[in-house]
Amino acid sequence: MNRFPLLGCALALAIGSAVAQDRPSPSAIPPPPPAPPAPLADAHRTQVTGTVARFLVNPNGDVDGVLLDDHTQVGMPPTMGAALAGKLHRGDRLTARGFRVGDLPLLQADSITAGGTELTDTPPAAPPAPPAAPALQPMEAHGLVQQPLYGPRGDVAGVLLDEGSILRVPPPAAVRAGALMQPHARIAVKGFGVNTPYGRSIQVTALGTTPGSEQPVAAPPQPGPMAPRPPTPPQPGVALGGAPAPTPPVPTP
């Protein structure tokens, strides 16, 4: 749903800059959990009804979901979110239909009814034009985690802070920093993102527990010694040292 390839250049620059700086003590981030959780496969079709507490925005500036007043996360494609944002406001009631993953507070919606209007996730007749690159800005945030945010498959893909920022974290990094993804955990991040009328969203490139302790969520490949080249097999008529090989004697009759 998120068009994160648009962030590639910005993230590469941010990660390279972070790696070049002195890293703080590894103790700044709690140790990772012993093993990543198994992917959830028990998705089932259902519906939820609730009151919109806030919109969810990805770092491209797209509305890609809402949070209900019972903390249920309703995810949707950005095309559907754009249509919904023009018709829905905080405090409005909606009914969302789609797939729920296990018992997580997450519904991936393909149909939403609000104010007597139903919106459905309908593929466009023709591929849409490539979107313009968002005006990403370097951003920092810190605070207490209000609740985790999930990707469509049920993996933790970020958090919502108590001060309102939406943090998007690549799922592998979210697994490694599992303790920081839990409610009431203290977290500090750096990254790139946008401010929109629907909220502030940051694609995280470095995280820690307090400002100044952030570490990159991923490191680029480090240069190392090149593997030795295999020896070139000798060519006919050339000795290994590069000099012409001696010509074998011709037997005399």
Side-chain angles (χ1 to χ4, degrees), residues 3 18 21 23 43 57 61-62 96 106 118 130 132 137 149 152 158 161 169 178 191 202 208 216 229 231 238 243 249:
R3 299 193 297 275
Q21 299 174 358
R23 294 186 179 183
V57 184
D62 306 312
L106 167 69
E118 182 178 8
Q137 305 172 12
L149 299 175
L161 292 188
V169 182
I202 303 175
R229 296 180 60 183
V238 178

Side-chain angles (χ1 to χ4, degrees), residues 17-91:
S17 175
V19 171
Q21 299 174 358
D22 293 333
R23 294 186 179 183
S25 169
S27 62
I29 293 182
L40 299 173
D42 55 341
H44 55 282
R45 188 162 184 83
T46 186
Q47 72 175 41
V48 299
T49 299
T51 300
V52 176
R54 65 163 297 151
F55 290 91
L56 296 176
V57 184
N58 66 29
N60 288 322
D62 306 312
V63 173
D64 64 355
V66 296
L67 281 181
L68 302 183
D69 56 352
D70 64 354
H71 302 290
T72 298
Q73 177 184 339
V74 178
M76 63 193 71
T79 51
M80 192 173 174
L84 187 69
K87 299 177 173 64
L88 201 65
H89 304 87
R90 293 186 182 186

Side-chain angles (χ1 to χ4, degrees), residues 164-223:
S165 293
I166 299 166
L167 309 182
R168 301 300 176 107
V169 182
V175 170
R176 292 194 299 270
L180 297 181
M181 303 289 105
Q182 301 303 315
H184 312 299
R186 189 171 296 279
I187 188 172
V189 303
K190 294 181 178 180
F192 290 83
V194 292
N195 280 307
T196 78
Y198 302 104
R200 180 177 190 244
S201 183
I202 303 175
Q203 180 68 23
V204 174
T205 60
L207 58 84
T209 55
T210 56
S213 71
E214 300 93 342
Q215 297 183 44
V217 297
Q222 299 299 311

